[in-house]
């Protein structure tokens, strides 16, 4: 079925994007799997979310394919931890991915799909959809703005590690592109808020409409 193919393609694209997100983290410095998962939620995870249950298996797969290498390192007590570093092959594939313009995917937007059929919703339920949309994106803006500020003043720990491993001549461009990515996230969130605010206006406009909720025609 064509639908099954789309689902498979989405899964493959998701796995590959997670792979490059992990490689991106490791281009700064070697990290344990625990530290990768921890930093993933405070840096690259803002643009590509993945739970721990996906990160750990992907790291093992990448090790098998030679994109990363792991070294046993001492940890607390008698325990050891595996520290991952990117290999030359991992760097090569990461560069290839960065230089590839990529392919844009067709939209699968639950919120726009729901919005297109809000005439079926109770006015209060429709308002709640829009209000939650606004609240979520306002929280995202606050979070992203804080990270962006930490990037610009160089207090972000992940950025600090990357700068330490880079030549001073590269620092300005590294910071500029990181801030640029967060600018895009913040601008998109503001657009989402403006869209939802217009949605609230529509809900209010039609709330007093006596027209009943649509029903399916019966044969």
């Amino acid at each position: 079925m064509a639908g099954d193919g789309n689902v498979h393609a989405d899964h493959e694209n998701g796995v590959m994007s997670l792979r490059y997100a992990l490689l991106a983290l490791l281009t700064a410095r070697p990290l344990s799997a625990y530290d990768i998962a921890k930093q993933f939620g405070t840096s690259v995870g803002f643009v590509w979310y993945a739970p721990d249950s996906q990160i750990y298996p992907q790291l093992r797969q990448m090790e098998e394919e030679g994109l990363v290498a792991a070294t046993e390192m001492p940890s607390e007590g008698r325990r050891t931890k595996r520290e991952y570093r990117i290999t030359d092959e991992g760097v090569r594939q990461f560069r290839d991915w960065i230089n590839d313009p990529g392919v844009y995917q067709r939209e699968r937007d639950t919120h726009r799909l729901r919005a297109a059929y809000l005439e079926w919703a109770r006015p209060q339920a429709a308002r709640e959809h829009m209000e939650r949309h606004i609240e979520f994106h306002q929280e995202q803006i606050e979070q992203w703005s804080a990270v962006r500020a930490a990037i610009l003043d160089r207090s972000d720990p992940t950025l600090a590690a990357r700068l330490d491993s880079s030549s001073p001549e590269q620092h300005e461009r590294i910071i500029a592109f990181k801030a640029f990515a967060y600018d895009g996230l913040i601008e998109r969130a503001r657009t989402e808020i403006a869209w939802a605010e217009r949605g609230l206006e529509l809900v209010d406009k039609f709330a007093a409409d006596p027209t009943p909720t649509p029903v399916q025609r019966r044969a």
Side-chain angles (χ1 to χ4, degrees):
M1 294 177 62
D4 292 339
N6 290 337
V7 170
H8 178 71
D10 287 347
H11 173 72
E12 288 299 317
N13 289 332
V15 169
M16 293 305 292
S17 294
L18 172 58
R19 169 172 299 194
Y20 295 122
L22 293 170
L23 289 175
L25 272 181
L26 291 172
T27 57
R29 59 173 173 169
L31 293 166
S32 69
Y34 171 80
D35 288 331
I36 289 172
K38 184 178 179 181
Q39 290 194 23
F40 202 85
T42 59
S43 58
V44 71
F46 286 130
V47 292
W48 191 266
Y49 169 77
D52 293 356
S53 59
Q54 294 179 3
I55 292 174
Y56 289 99
Q58 182 59 214
L59 282 171
R60 290 192 292 270
Q61 180 65 33
M62 291 163 63
E63 183 180 9
E64 291 177 4
E65 295 178 18
L67 304 180
V68 299
T71 304
E72 296 291 336
M73 302 291 290
S75 185
E76 297 179 3
R78 297 182 178 179
R79 296 190 304 172
T80 62
K81 62 180 180 182
R82 290 170 62 79
E83 186 175 79
Y84 290 89
R85 62 174 177 81
I86 190 169
T87 63
D88 290 343
E89 176 61 17
V91 169
R92 185 191 67 77
Q93 289 200 24
F94 183 71
R95 285 187 183 278
D96 288 346
W97 175 73
I98 285 292
N99 287 298
D100 187 335
V103 177
Y104 283 85
Q105 303 297 315
R106 296 289 295 271
E107 287 287 337
R108 287 190 174 186
D109 191 324
T110 302
H111 304 294
R112 242 58 70 173
L113 176 61
R114 181 180 285 115
Y117 295 94
L118 281 180
E119 73 269 20
W120 289 78
R122 299 184 304 277
Q124 185 54 40
R127 284 192 64 84
E128 185 177 344
H129 290 320
M130 297 296 103
E131 289 169 352
R132 290 180 63 183
H133 200 80
I134 292 170
E135 180 182 2
F136 172 79
H137 285 94
Q138 284 176 335
E139 291 174 352
Q140 293 293 93
I141 288 175
E142 292 175 6
Q143 189 174 41
W144 291 332
S145 296
V147 175
R148 182 182 182 278
I151 287 171
L152 292 177
D153 67 17
R154 306 190 180 199
S155 63
D156 180 80
T158 303
L159 174 69
R162 186 173 297 281
L163 295 179
D164 286 343
S165 63
S166 305
S167 64
E169 294 78 13
Q170 294 287 324
H171 289 187
E172 183 180 357
R173 66 187 296 180
I174 290 171
I175 292 171
F177 281 123
K178 300 294 180 293
F180 172 69
Y182 282 94
D183 286 341
L185 292 173
I186 292 167
E187 290 168 10
R188 185 174 64 189
R190 287 174 176 159
T191 300
E192 291 290 337
I193 290 173
W195 173 78
E197 288 173 343
R198 294 198 303 274
L200 286 174
E201 293 174 0
L202 281 177
V203 172
D204 290 340
K205 175 181 178 180
F206 295 114
D209 190 339
T211 303
T213 298
V215 294
Q216 290 181 311
R217 291 180 179 273
R218 295 182 181 277

